[in-house]
Amino acid sequence: MAKQISTEIVINATPQKIWAILTDFDNYPRWNPFIKSITGPVVVGHTITARIEPPEAQGMTFQPKVLVFEANKEFRWRGKLIIPGLFDGEHIFQLTDNGNGTTTFRQSELFYGILVSLFKKMLDTNTIQGFKQMNQKLKELAEKS
C-alpha cells in the first residue's frame, strides 16, 4: 500500500533566502508549527533525528536517513516506523526558482508499507494540515524583510 500527499506555495523570495530559513534547524522551534526539530548531521547518507507534531495528532520522533541535500533546490529523507515495510515515508522539500523573484516551495511525502491504510485518515487531515501550516509560516518568514 502506498499514499502520497503534496502541498505547494508560491513565496515572494529567492530560493537562497528560503533555503537559509529551511536549513536553519536551530530556529525550527521558534517558527515551525509542524517540524519541531531536526538534529544531527544533515549530510547525504547520514541519519538525523526529526520531531513532527501534526495539528490535533500525537507527535512523533524518528530517525530518517538523508537522501538528498542539494542547496537551494531539494532536501529529502526516508524514515520508518520501527522496522522497514510497516510504515515508511520519504519526505521531500523542493524549491523551484520561477525566474520572476518568486519561488515555488513544494512539500510532499510518499508513504508506503502494510500500515499505511490504518493512517490514511490522519495523513489526509492532520499531516496535510501540518504541511500547509509550515508552508505558510515559511512564506511569512521569507517575505518579511
Side-chain angles (χ1 to χ4, degrees):
M1 174 97 191
K3 173 160 187 57
Q4 182 163 11
I5 59 175
S6 183
T7 59
E8 66 178 49
I9 193 167
V10 175
I11 301 174
N12 295 307
T14 64
Q16 293 80 4
K17 184 171 185 181
I18 297 163
W19 185 260
I21 296 166
L22 186 66
T23 58
D24 182 4
F25 305 118
D26 289 342
N27 275 318
Y28 270 35
R30 291 183 190 93
W31 71 267
N32 197 326
F34 179 62
I35 302 175
K36 295 300 185 175
S37 68
I38 292 178
T39 57
V42 184
V43 176
V44 172
H46 284 83
T47 299
I48 58 176
T49 299
R51 171 83 183 161
I52 62 163
E53 294 183 10
E56 299 177 33
Q58 188 170 350
M60 176 180 157
T61 301
F62 58 103
Q63 284 80 36
K65 180 183 277 191
V66 177
L67 302 177
V68 178
F69 194 72
E70 186 178 350
N72 307 316
K73 292 193 183 292
E74 184 176 344
F75 176 24
R76 179 187 302 235
W77 71 60
R78 182 179 303 132
K80 64 186 180 309
L81 180 65
I82 307 168
I83 60 169
L86 285 182
F87 184 75
D88 303 342
E90 191 164 313
H91 199 102
I92 306 160
F93 301 107
Q94 294 171 309
L95 289 80
T96 303
D97 188 339
N98 297 324
N100 60 0
T102 69
T103 301
T104 300
F105 175 72
R106 183 170 195 237
Q107 182 173 191
S108 61
E109 189 152 0
L110 174 62
F111 298 95
Y112 47 95
I114 60 174
L115 297 180
V116 169
S117 61
L118 293 176
F119 292 102
K120 185 180 181 317
K121 184 178 180 189
M122 185 193 74
L123 297 175
D124 285 338
T125 55
N126 311 83
T127 303
I128 205 152
Q129 193 59 35
F131 281 22
K132 289 177 181 178
Q133 288 176 4
M134 177 182 165
N135 295 358
Q136 184 60 41
K137 290 294 186 183
L138 180 62
K139 176 181 174 75
E140 290 169 11
L141 208 51
E143 292 180 352
K144 242 180 167 172
S145 51

